[in-house]
Amino acid sequence: MQVSHTPAAVSAAFDDPNLVALAGLVPVMRLAERCGLSGLVTQKVELSGTTNGAGASAGAKVSSIVAGMAAGADSIDDLHVLRHGAMPALFRGVRAPSTLGTFLRAFTHGHALQLHAVHRRFLGQLAAHTPLLPGADQMVFIDVDSTHKRVYGRAKQGAEYGRFKGIRTLHPLLATICTPTSRPVIATVRMRRGKAADSRGAPKFVSEALATAVEAGCTGTRILRADSQFYNAGVIAACRRAGAHFSITCGMNPSIKRAIHTLPDQAWQQITYPTAVPDPATGELISDAEVAEIPAYTAFASRTKAERVTARLIVRRVRDLAKPAVVGEQGELFPVWRYHPFFTDQPAQTLQAEREHRHHAVIEQVIADSKASALAHLPSAHFHANAAWLTLWAMTYNLLRATGAQASAFHARATTATIRTHLVHVPARIARSGRRITLHLPHNWPWQHAWTHLFSTAHGPAG
């Protein structure tokens, strides 16, 4: 491919007032309107006590930030992308980046909790209006994990040296919901200081995530999955209060080691991974492992009787590739294994339970998505402004997931970056006639049918 004209024959001018670069925002924000985003913000978020008008028109400001994030903005200045060409003809109430920055800096902890309430109800509305979580009446998985977001500004509140030596971070906590056939959506998020322990506030956070799943129409079996940092009595108690199952990785403490050593050789079942996974110590790919189960293991035995929990301990073991099987001329005397136990009360068979537990890693895709989009930066020096930004990203992520689910089967499984490229970043020319606006989009756009289906559904009669 090469340019078809000489340099002298080509010129450019930014002078057409009837063009937009983000025609896909029309059906996306129409879907947000149908799910009541602005109304929920007006109802729930009240920025009282501000003297600079920051709390006025909160619904329009939240919608502007969500639209900018849907377009790919990862900083407050990037929200200026909404103010170009014919965008004022398509949207009203778009606020300037400086106004939106003032709005975010007015948030306090209480206001951030109000925005969380909007997020929960907005997710419920998205699930009701789109096929966001197919099969939620049968089985859903709620995954909990934390991540660290590196920050560079020394004035950022809450940024501290934590897990990573010499690196200042903030420490978000998030929970996602998915079904066996759907991509995950975000149930809830929390912004925390860089030194916050992974499990700090986890029982309350888990309770909120499980309640959000119910609001999103998850009436089937609910299984909470988490890593070893959430292996504590409080998290399991929260699951049982909510009527949910749990599947939580547990470390190799002395009690678990003793239990594993009691397993006879014939208890181990062979399992083959459909795709090889890297060994955590050596990086080598492994495709085979063995799995065994202790059907009645009592966890937290040193605690009070009310806190003890008896459930299944399922253990996966793989050959320790870091230790060679043969040294010199002497063969190995006995195999060396690495053990990976998890504690669960879910009803599936042993091998199926192990496969489903390993699928907890799907939450890492959401974390990677966040750092490649709106969470590439945490844009403010104010902690609660960044907390609000995190929640607004979660709302935007769910909106884009609903957009993909509405557009086509392919986009229901695609990443949000792909959804932006295919469905949002579509240029268009606006034509006006008889009080009607027509969007003229590129001829032979490869994803024309998905875009058209999304547009007609978002603008059709309410279901």
Side-chain angles (χ1 to χ4, degrees), residues 20-106:
V20 294
L22 303 167
L25 282 181
V26 175
V28 170
M29 296 312 295
R30 180 70 71 185
L31 177 60
E33 288 178 10
R34 295 184 70 160
C35 295
L37 176 58
S38 295
L40 287 170
V41 174
T42 301
Q43 177 185 355
K44 297 291 182 181
V45 179
E46 183 179 354
L47 292 178
S48 57
T50 60
T51 58
N52 56 0
S57 304
K61 293 173 182 176
V62 165
S63 296
S64 295
I65 296 173
V66 167
M69 288 182 174
D74 63 13
S75 68
I76 294 173
D77 286 343
D78 283 354
L79 298 174
H80 218 304
V81 72
L82 301 177
R83 296 159 64 87
H84 72 270
M87 291 292 278
L90 296 176
F91 302 98
R92 62 176 181 270
V94 177
R95 298 304 195 261
S98 58
T99 301
L100 299 176
T102 301
F103 170 68
L104 289 172
R105 288 189 292 273

Side-chain angles (χ1 to χ4, degrees), residues 335-351:
V336 180
W337 300 94
R338 184 180 292 113
Y339 297 94
H340 305 276
F342 67 96
F343 191 53
T344 183
D345 67 346
Q346 72 140 305
Q349 296 294 326
T350 303
L351 295 185

Side-chain angles (χ1 to χ4, degrees), residues 122-145:
F122 185 52
L123 175 58
Q125 289 297 314
L126 288 173
H129 284 80
T130 66
L132 187 60
L133 292 167
D137 57 341
Q138 300 295 321
M139 177 176 287
V140 293
F141 300 100
I142 297 92
D143 294 293
V144 179
D145 204 354

